[in-house]
Amino acid sequence: MFLVPGFIERFLHRMASPPHFYAITERLMPWLWGIFSLLLLSGLYSGLFLAPPDYQQGESYRIIFIHVPSAWMSLFIYSVMAMAGAIALVWRIKLAEVVAISSAPVGAGFTFIALVTGSLWGKPMWGTWWVWDARLTSELILLFLYLGVIGLYNAIDDKRSASRAVAILALVGVVNIPIIHYSVEWWSTLHQGPTVTKLDKPSIHVSMLIPLLIMAVAFKFYYLIAMLQRAKTEVLVREQNAQWVKSMTEQELAS
Amino acid sequence: MKTGALCFSGTNLSCIRDDRVLFEQLNFTLQQGQALLLEGKNGSGKTSLLRILCGFRLPDSGSLSWCGADINGSEFYEHMAYVGHLDGFKKELTVLENLKVVKALNQPGRFSIEQSLEKLQLAGYDDVLVQALSAGQKRRLSIVRLLMTASALWILDEPFTSLDRQGIALTETLMTEHCANGGMIILTSHHDLNLSGVDLQRINLS
Amino acid sequence: MSLLQAFLAIVRRDLVLAFRRRSEIANPLLFFILIITLFPLGVGAQPKLLQAIAPGIIWVSALLAAMLSLDGLFRSDFDDGSLELLLLSPYPTSVLVLGKITAHWLVTGLPLLLIAPLLALLLGISERALGTLLLTLLLGTPVLSLIGAIGVALTVGLRRGGMLMSLLVLPLYVPVLIFASSAVDMATAGLPVSAQINIMVSILLLALVLTPWPAATALKMSIN
């Protein structure tokens, strides 16, 4: 925090105060929705209609426009959660706690989508819904890590302690994820089945890459929307006794 | 303990538990030789405040300082000792085995283990398992812990619970002595305190 | 010097306690043997089949036995208040926590090593793989205790934290399971296992350095 320029620090400081956070996200929300819808529509259109069929897999490969960005998001959100957790632990910023815990269900959702789409994609390719492929297995373990975070948060009554617990667990998880990932890769090369996975590193053509990247950015915006929406609710619940919440609800009731 | 003035203070402390504000804007400063009595009815936050003072719980706002520095960056834990509801002794171990662990985990205090046991009239109990002690004897054993470790600041949560009249008088004498030697005490008690000659502050939480 | 004394005092106390409550040592061990006995009953006793899955069986059972024993790591300290005293000690909590983990491993991890030859016999693990099995247990079980300590520390304040703790900890055990059982597998086939062993050594060192701090922080959170 010492190396951050003054105006950013002031901005962060302002954002860290719950009423400001609430007001700013309230104003941002329509914009985020707008950008997300535009990106999603253009991504889906270029992915489903403009991109050519794959010479090997025909049309069924198109599921990667959902699968791959979801898999990226699952890791990305876990790292964001761990970073927010670290900030919450070190500087005790309450908003970082809220961001960390609000990210978890969204991340778990993306992980679940990545698993389901991976399995759907596997059916025509492998002839079975589930193969112990390295990426799917890592994704499954990641889902367990997310569920652990959510379960821990819900199990602890005192929400401030729960946030600290989540921050610690997310940090432990983020250190472990590369090791787990590496060990699973290693394991799958040892126990290589008769089918060779098609999910890893296809040399992808530009016409497929562009929709993929658009979808990836669209998903980031979706994450922002979902996370901020959850964070807003969480802030309201936590600050229900604060003056700004009371006066806001009174205004709502009056109008 | 007598050289260099020690000082423990809290500023603007507040504690919210289950959406209920237990206390707000609480301030105190404790100098050497002083004692602080927390009063209030059940559920008014006395124990919560003591646990905040020990650093177990973070205050919802405000800060604690030891000799001018935040307690986490200071020598606070070398100078404090806590007696809470739980005695912290292993019932399968003997009195002496338990106290040896206490000694290893803390800086040595004014009295040795034997002297402290003697002061609390527990001499000869060294080899007794803690589970064989009565509730009052266990409470005295907790006070032995205060004497044998270097602790200028005693934080005591209902120290007189399950002590008999003689035990209470003994504890009060030890507390008076502690303050006379430049110690500090923060305590809660339902019992009427008799600390003659001690500069006693009171905070009423309610 | 005195930090070392504090560390040793914790180890000694927990060892004496474990010795006085002997069933706590015996139960996970019996559990370990029992699970391994169940496998031949479940999958059939063909020697070929058993031999093929033996490393996996032993290691999965070791993970489960570790899970079962972990609950006792901080539970009694939490209940009787010694955990509060541990946190109030001027010495770094992480070092004291490491002392508790060391004692826990000596009581629950080390016995697994001692009975492993017997189990290897039951499951038909070849003699040349026995050394590797012992080595993986020696390197792997401390990691189970170290990582598990974080999980217990996070859930010790909860009344029914056991199931949740398994959910938190088991995914983190995956690398140990993979490298350890694959090392035993390789050794059975007469292949070199130095890669797996090296990785396990690094995981152990990493865990030794990295786990006590989060465990200590989690305990502070739980004590609240």
Side-chain angles (χ1 to χ4, degrees):
Chain A
M1 275 271 173
F2 304 109
L3 301 173
V4 182
F7 67 94
I8 294 184
E9 200 180 317
R10 273 195 300 280
F11 173 74
L12 287 177
H13 201 79
R14 252 170 55 112
M15 273 301 273
S17 101
H20 273 106
F21 168 77
Y22 194 89
I24 291 172
T25 45
E26 193 92 306
R27 250 181 293 153
L28 271 178
M29 216 37 106
W31 292 97
L32 291 175
W33 271 109
I35 299 173
F36 166 64
S37 323
L38 276 179
L39 283 169
L40 185 73
L41 287 176
S42 57
L44 282 178
Y45 182 72
S46 53
L48 298 183
F49 299 106
L50 297 184
D54 185 71
Y55 76 104
Q56 266 184 326
Q57 305 173 38
E59 302 289 347
S60 67
Y61 88 96
R62 291 187 196 276
I63 204 165
I64 63 161
F65 296 122
I66 306 286
H67 173 78
V68 175
S70 303
W72 286 344
M73 287 310 288
S74 63
L75 276 176
F76 173 78
I77 294 177
Y78 204 97
S79 344
V80 171
M81 194 167 77
M83 254 183 327
I87 293 172
L89 274 184
V90 178
W91 288 291
R92 304 212 167 123
I93 296 175
K94 286 183 193 168
L95 194 66
E97 294 175 0
V98 173
V99 168
I101 189 54
S102 306
S103 298
V106 188
F110 275 116
T111 317
F112 186 69
I113 292 173
L115 271 175
V116 171
T117 51
S119 145
L120 283 175
W121 190 15
K123 181 63 179 162
M125 283 175 50
W126 299 316
T128 161
W129 294 111
W130 181 263
V131 170
W132 289 96
D133 156 81
R135 187 168 298 182
L136 285 182
T137 312
S138 307
E139 209 58 34
L140 183 63
I141 297 171
L142 186 61
L143 182 63
F144 288 133
L145 290 178
Y146 271 118
L147 294 179
V149 167
I150 297 169
L152 185 64
Y153 185 74
N154 290 327
I156 302 178
D157 288 332
D158 181 49
K159 286 308 159 206
R160 284 189 63 209
S161 307
S163 315
R164 283 173 66 80
V166 160
I168 297 167
L169 186 63
L171 279 175
V172 172
V174 91
V175 173
N176 265 280
I177 284 174
I179 305 177
I180 294 175
H181 196 76
Y182 171 71
S183 68
V184 170
E185 291 264 315
W186 196 84
W187 160 83
S188 87
T189 53
L190 272 186
H191 301 260
Q192 192 64 267
T195 44
V196 177
T197 169
K198 289 268 176 10
L199 278 82
D200 48 27
K201 306 196 188 72
S203 51
I204 193 165
H205 189 261
V206 177
S207 59
M208 299 176 184
L209 186 63
I210 289 174
L212 195 62
L213 292 178
I214 296 177
M215 287 301 281
V217 180
F219 278 21
K220 293 240 170 15
F221 273 92
Y222 177 76
Y223 160 62
L224 261 183
I225 292 169
M227 185 270 285
L228 289 176
Q229 196 64 46
R230 296 192 75 92
K232 261 170 62 181
T233 320
E234 183 80 29
V235 162
L236 273 192
V237 172
R238 288 187 182 205
E239 302 265 318
Q240 54 184 306
N241 287 325
Q243 198 50 50
W244 67 272
V245 178
K246 282 182 184 154
S247 56
M248 195 176 70
T249 42
E250 272 161 23
Q251 274 175 15
E252 294 268 308
L253 285 175
S255 66
Chain B
M1 202 182 329
K2 277 166 194 157
T3 54
L6 301 175
C7 158
F8 183 44
S9 63
T11 16
N12 284 331
L13 296 174
S14 71
C15 175
I16 301 168
R17 194 136 206 185
D18 300 329
D19 304 326
R20 213 160 57 83
V21 180
L22 291 178
F23 49 83
E24 266 181 318
Q25 303 281 321
L26 191 122
N27 293 289
F28 71 90
T29 305
L30 199 62
Q31 309 281 357
Q32 284 190 291
Q34 290 180 325
L36 171 61
L37 175 66
L38 305 178
E39 295 170 311
K41 51 184 191 304
N42 290 340
S44 59
K46 287 173 294 185
T47 297
S48 295
L49 176 55
L50 285 190
R51 298 185 71 79
I52 286 174
L53 298 184
C54 288
F56 290 146
R57 200 185 153 82
L58 292 175
D60 288 276
S61 67
S63 60
L64 291 169
S65 66
W66 178 253
C67 305
D70 187 80
I71 58 166
N72 282 313
S74 70
E75 295 174 335
F76 177 65
Y77 290 104
E78 289 171 30
H79 293 281
M80 67 86 73
Y82 168 69
V83 172
H85 292 297
L86 301 167
D87 53 33
F89 292 114
K90 291 285 170 193
K91 60 182 179 2
E92 295 93 339
L93 297 184
T94 66
V95 168
L96 192 63
E97 283 169 334
N98 267 305
L99 292 180
K100 277 188 173 161
V101 176
V102 172
K103 190 179 165 198
L105 289 185
N106 293 284
Q107 304 292 335
R110 275 201 299 149
F111 302 103
S112 70
I113 292 180
E114 289 74 25
Q115 287 167 330
S116 315
L117 281 173
E118 204 153 314
K119 275 191 169 280
L120 271 299
Q121 298 171 355
L122 285 171
Y125 281 87
D126 305 30
D127 293 328
V128 178
L129 290 182
V130 167
Q131 61 191 355
L133 297 182
S134 73
Q137 284 171 324
K138 278 189 207 159
R139 187 48 64 160
R140 289 188 198 197
L141 199 55
S142 303
I143 294 162
V144 166
R145 226 179 53 215
L146 298 176
L147 297 182
M148 56 173 280
T149 58
S151 44
L153 172 64
W154 292 357
I155 298 184
L156 314 174
D157 198 355
E158 297 292 344
F160 303 121
T161 315
S162 59
L163 285 179
D164 55 14
R165 197 176 302 159
Q166 187 217 1
I168 293 175
L170 185 61
T171 311
E172 282 174 342
T173 318
L174 289 170
M175 284 162 63
T176 317
E177 265 179 44
H178 179 64
C179 286
N181 278 306
M184 305 176 230
I185 299 175
I186 300 180
L187 78 162
T188 64
S189 172
H190 281 106
H191 183 83
D192 290 323
L193 265 186
N194 178 21
L195 300 178
S196 49
V198 173
D199 180 359
L200 185 69
Q201 308 176 36
R202 287 165 194 269
I203 291 183
N204 200 326
L205 298 171
S206 46
Chain C
M1 187 58 203
S2 50
L3 178 60
L4 184 66
Q5 271 167 4
F7 175 84
L8 291 177
I10 293 283
V11 176
R12 196 179 309 121
R13 182 194 69 182
D14 280 13
L15 289 181
V16 172
L17 277 174
F19 186 71
R20 292 196 186 155
R21 311 168 176 155
R22 255 162 248 147
S23 70
E24 275 182 28
I25 311 184
N27 287 346
L29 204 58
L30 286 174
F31 180 77
F32 183 54
I33 301 173
L34 191 64
I35 295 193
I36 286 181
T37 324
L38 290 180
F39 268 94
L41 297 175
V43 301
Q46 301 93 316
K48 270 252 163 68
L49 176 66
L50 280 184
Q51 213 169 36
I53 59 172
I57 296 178
I58 291 191
W59 264 96
V60 170
S61 314
L63 296 196
L64 295 177
M67 287 309 323
L68 189 75
S69 68
L70 273 170
D71 192 50
L73 180 54
F74 297 121
R75 171 66 54 202
S76 72
D77 286 14
F78 183 82
D79 290 341
D80 67 16
S82 10
L83 197 55
E84 293 175 353
L85 301 186
L86 199 78
L87 294 178
L88 291 180
S89 161
Y91 299 112
T93 313
S94 47
V95 176
L96 305 180
V97 167
L98 192 60
K100 286 201 65 72
I101 298 173
T102 310
H104 178 262
W105 178 76
L106 288 174
V107 172
T108 62
L110 202 57
L112 297 192
L113 253 125
L114 301 180
I115 57 159
L118 173 73
L119 301 173
L121 187 79
L122 287 180
L123 296 174
I125 287 186
S126 65
E127 271 171 37
R128 62 180 169 194
L130 183 61
T132 313
L133 175 64
L134 290 177
L135 191 58
T136 55
L137 282 171
L138 181 68
L139 295 171
T141 48
V143 179
L144 303 186
S145 295
L146 286 162
I147 295 178
I150 303 175
V152 200
L154 284 169
T155 52
V156 70
L158 305 174
R159 256 160 290 141
R160 301 163 62 80
M163 273 316 268
L164 180 62
M165 201 254 297
S166 329
L167 181 60
L168 303 186
V169 167
L170 282 175
L172 303 178
Y173 282 172
V174 166
V176 176
L177 175 66
I178 288 178
F179 291 116
S181 48
S182 119
V184 182
D185 234 3
M186 292 294 203
T188 315
L191 297 167
V193 293
S194 55
Q196 286 91 328
I197 298 301
N198 286 340
I199 293 172
M200 288 192 73
V201 171
S202 2
I203 290 182
L204 174 58
L205 293 178
L206 211 62
L208 266 176
V209 177
L210 292 183
T211 54
W213 182 78
T217 315
L219 281 178
K220 278 180 201 141
M221 180 283 300
S222 283
I223 201 94
N224 170 338

